[in-house]
Amino acid sequence: MRSDQMKTGITRIPHRSLFKAAGLTEEELRRPIVGIVNSQNDIIPGHIHLDSMVLAVKTGVLMAGGTPLAFPAIGVCDGIAMGHDGMRYSLISREHIADSVEIMAMAHPFDALVFVPNCDKIVPGMIMAALRLNIPSIFVSGGPMLPGFAGGRKLTLSNAFEAVGEAGIGKIGADRILETEDKACPGCGSCAGMFTANSMNCMTEAVGLGLPGNGTIPAVNAARIRLAKHAGMKIMELLNRNIRPRDIVTAESLRNALSADMALGCSSNTVLHLPAIAHEAGLTLPPSEINAVSKVTPHLVRLSPAGPDTLADLDQAGGVQAVLKLLLDYGLLDGNCLTVTGGSVGENLLGVKVLDPEVIHDRENAYSPDGGLAVLWGNIAPEGAVVKKGAVLPEMMTHQGPARVFDSEESCVDALLARSIRPGDVIVVRYEGPKGGPGMREMLTPTSTLVGMGLDNSVALITDGRFSGASKGASIGHISPEAAAGGLIGLIEEGDPIRIDIPGNKLELLLDDQVIARRRAAWSPLLKDVPDGYLKRYRRMVTSASTGAILADEPS
């Protein structure tokens, strides 16, 4: 056993003494030691209940003959970090989480790992660690939040962000604001729509690292506790069979995850995280591959913010497994890929069916014949840009208008609340990329403010930053190369004409090459002041969003 390195032999007398100081018995030390990565904290609503999940995992490990030992991982709440300097630390926490899990699992050589994440960057950070370590591993998330209700309508966090714009134009008053605050997020779990957290938990299930139901069983359901116990038991089977993450995460299973991504209409952040996950597995996932899968995959599910349904509705309709079954039937899934059940994707899907065709559509009734995400190219984005096209209104699929240029998210929001943005405009927010931000902040505040002000049917927003999964509208992010790296977005001036063609995968600045060349000769990048520490190191090491914003081995 791997754990023998720290517990077996005469030279490990002091090590065993320390284990016994923690209360372990001789019998427990003779068993495989399973590390449980616990990301519980009191800040993130999706994580406040994870101690109960970890206790259930421990029960499962004990039932199957292992010795569970938990250790912590940090987590940032993207919603609470949104709209201020705290958001610079969200994406960069992904790398910190991966590194910290590596540190713990190498310093204390566990035989296997159970990962208990739930929100945003915690999920991909842990997957990256699992692939880097490549010891038997399984994931069980904390599950999605239930939707809130007010006035006979479902609410999710996106409604709370849209209330900013509604309040800014006087559309709602203090009573409605308080009602939204009180009811949009009714309890524990990852926010109820197909935002980044739930997208990545669904991706974990689709790629084969989580048991069926991992992406959709609500946080408050007893089935979630049972799932955690089964994960604890299953890790012992994976250990006995020596099934490891790199046996599961392959080029084929990543393509399966991409197909599910497109059918489910997941967050655009998946286009950052899946390439980073592929990199840790020794694979590549370029933007061209993402678009190739999108072009052939029908968009079958439309959850909040794109539609009224939530993850709880998807769970009742059959969950991720029902969507995978349709994709398998359509020849869009590799059924031979191994999963943490110990069986293949095809074996897992035997007998699975769609339980509610109003939530999970078939191909004949798809929301669109292609996927919920699209990659755009053009002179503004020669390395690509990403849009959640499943959440774009039909009238905004093509758009041309004058640029309104801002060098930060804050200045953009100020202009929106001052009502200086007009129908037809194309908002350009730059120097918010991985290097320029630094940290590539999510910008849910401006996108939701646009929606709340009723401008999502006439105004587009493009940025080298990124968006929350709760964003909707013609919001195009991840523009690469970013402004701080010399990208053309840094040369755009107020009033320049910009053309967006989402069906044609185009994003163009309509200026002569000579004009662009003159501007480039006079251009120098804006370098934002950042405090000494992690942000400054991150800026030196981070690569383009088109590669998943992974860290380079050497400063770039």
Side-chain angles (χ1 to χ4, degrees), residues 314-389:
L314 177 59
D315 187 62
Q316 290 294 311
V320 172
Q321 296 296 304
V323 175
L324 294 180
K325 181 60 165 65
L326 288 178
L327 295 175
L328 184 69
D329 291 345
Y330 299 152
L332 298 173
L333 214 64
D334 188 330
N336 296 315
C337 293
L338 183 64
T339 76
V340 290
T341 66
S344 69
V345 169
E347 290 168 338
N348 294 346
L349 296 176
L350 291 173
V352 171
K353 58 181 68 175
V354 173
L355 303 179
D356 187 347
E358 294 300 313
V359 176
I360 303 174
H361 291 201
D362 58 21
R363 177 179 251 164
E364 289 69 31
N365 297 289
Y367 290 104
S368 67
D370 51 5
L373 296 177
V375 179
L376 312 185
W377 284 275
N379 62 356
I380 296 178
E383 295 175 9
V386 182
V387 62
K388 187 173 181 176
K389 75 179 191 63

Side-chain angles (χ1 to χ4, degrees), residues 232-406:
M233 289 185 279
K234 185 61 68 172
I235 192 61
M236 298 305 294
E237 178 187 331
L238 296 174
L239 174 60
N240 291 333
R241 294 177 58 183
N242 196 29
I243 295 175
R244 304 182 183 208
R246 291 195 185 193
D247 299 324
I248 293 170
V249 178
T250 63
E252 292 76 20
S253 70
L254 281 167
R255 190 177 178 95
N256 283 353
L258 271 180
S259 295
D261 191 347
M262 301 307 163
L264 289 164
C266 289
S267 165
S268 58
N269 280 313
T270 58
V271 180
L272 272 180
H273 300 320
L274 290 176
I277 288 165
H279 175 75
E280 293 289 353
L283 305 167
T284 58
L285 195 61
S288 57
E289 174 74 359
I290 294 166
N291 241 23
V293 172
S294 181
K295 288 293 186 184
V296 299
T297 307
H299 184 194
L300 305 177
V301 177
R302 182 174 281 174
L303 304 184
S304 174
D309 294 325
T310 67
L311 267 290
D313 298 303
L314 177 59
D315 187 62
Q316 290 294 311
V320 172
Q321 296 296 304
V323 175
L324 294 180
K325 181 60 165 65
L326 288 178
L327 295 175
L328 184 69
D329 291 345
Y330 299 152
L332 298 173
L333 214 64
D334 188 330
N336 296 315
C337 293
L338 183 64
T339 76
V340 290
T341 66
S344 69
V345 169
E347 290 168 338
N348 294 346
L349 296 176
L350 291 173
V352 171
K353 58 181 68 175
V354 173
L355 303 179
D356 187 347
E358 294 300 313
V359 176
I360 303 174
H361 291 201
D362 58 21
R363 177 179 251 164
E364 289 69 31
N365 297 289
Y367 290 104
S368 67
D370 51 5
L373 296 177
V375 179
L376 312 185
W377 284 275
N379 62 356
I380 296 178
E383 295 175 9
V386 182
V387 62
K388 187 173 181 176
K389 75 179 191 63
V392 178
L393 293 171
E395 58 266 37
M396 291 300 292
M397 285 293 184
T398 59
H399 181 77
Q400 183 171 323
R404 303 296 308 279
V405 182
F406 305 95

Side-chain angles (χ1 to χ4, degrees), residues 380 395-404 422-427 457-462 474 476 495-502 506-511:
I380 296 178
E395 58 266 37
M396 291 300 292
M397 285 293 184
T398 59
H399 181 77
Q400 183 171 323
R404 303 296 308 279
R422 300 286 179 259
D425 287 346
V426 177
I427 297 172
N457 63 352
S458 60
V459 174
L461 192 156
I462 71 172
I476 299 165
D496 285 348
I498 294 173
R499 181 168 59 212
I500 298 165
D501 179 1
I502 294 173
K506 290 289 186 182
L507 178 61
E508 298 279 351
L509 176 65
L510 303 179
L511 291 181

Side-chain angles (χ1 to χ4, degrees), residues 402-414:
R404 303 296 308 279
V405 182
F406 305 95
D407 288 340
S408 70
E409 175 189 2
E410 288 85 353
S411 58
C412 169
V413 173
D414 288 345

